[in-house]
Amino acid sequence: MSTRPLTNNELITPGRVLIKRKQLLKKVPLCERTILDMEKRGDFPKRFTITPRLVAWDLEEVDAWIAAQQSAASQASAPGRKNNKS
């Protein structure tokens, strides 16, 4: 599985919010397999191992990823449309 432990610095960072799998899936409309594949490629924030049976994602990292996707989408032309720049 694509997990990494929290570092000591990360554990003591005030205001840090971690979200569990169900919360992540409500926020990001992708299936679990797609998210795992993207994590492995480095295209999505890595999950943290909280316990042997619990993983979580850093909400700030997930929000930054969403913002990057929105930015990239706004710069790309819409699918099926021709770019009318002359």
Side-chain angles (χ1 to χ4, degrees), residues 43-81:
D43 294 335
F44 193 82
K46 293 271 188 192
R47 63 190 74 198
F48 296 95
T49 301
I50 306 299
T51 69
R53 295 185 58 191
L54 177 65
V55 296
W57 289 259
D58 184 310
L59 179 59
E60 188 175 317
E61 290 177 11
V62 172
D63 284 342
W65 178 85
I66 291 170
Q69 300 312 301
Q70 288 173 327
S71 178
S74 68
Q75 293 174 6
S77 61
R81 297 182 113 180

Side-chain angles (χ1 to χ4, degrees), residues 3-85:
T3 63
R4 67 180 173 92
L6 288 170
T7 66
N8 286 339
N9 250 1
E10 291 170 328
L11 286 170
I12 62 172
T13 302
R16 186 177 191 99
V17 177
L18 299 179
I19 59 174
K20 295 192 288 185
R21 183 182 324 271
K22 284 185 181 182
Q23 295 167 301
L24 176 73
L25 295 173
K26 286 181 182 178
K27 195 163 185 63
V28 178
L30 298 171
C31 72
E32 291 183 53
R33 184 75 231 177
T34 299
I35 291 171
L36 180 60
D37 290 344
M38 291 175 72
E39 283 181 85
K40 287 179 180 179
R41 292 193 312 262
D43 294 335
F44 193 82
K46 293 271 188 192
R47 63 190 74 198
F48 296 95
T49 301
I50 306 299
T51 69
R53 295 185 58 191
L54 177 65
V55 296
W57 289 259
D58 184 310
L59 179 59
E60 188 175 317
E61 290 177 11
V62 172
D63 284 342
W65 178 85
I66 291 170
Q69 300 312 301
Q70 288 173 327
S71 178
S74 68
Q75 293 174 6
S77 61
R81 297 182 113 180
K82 292 184 179 186
N83 195 347
N84 290 334
K85 292 183 181 177

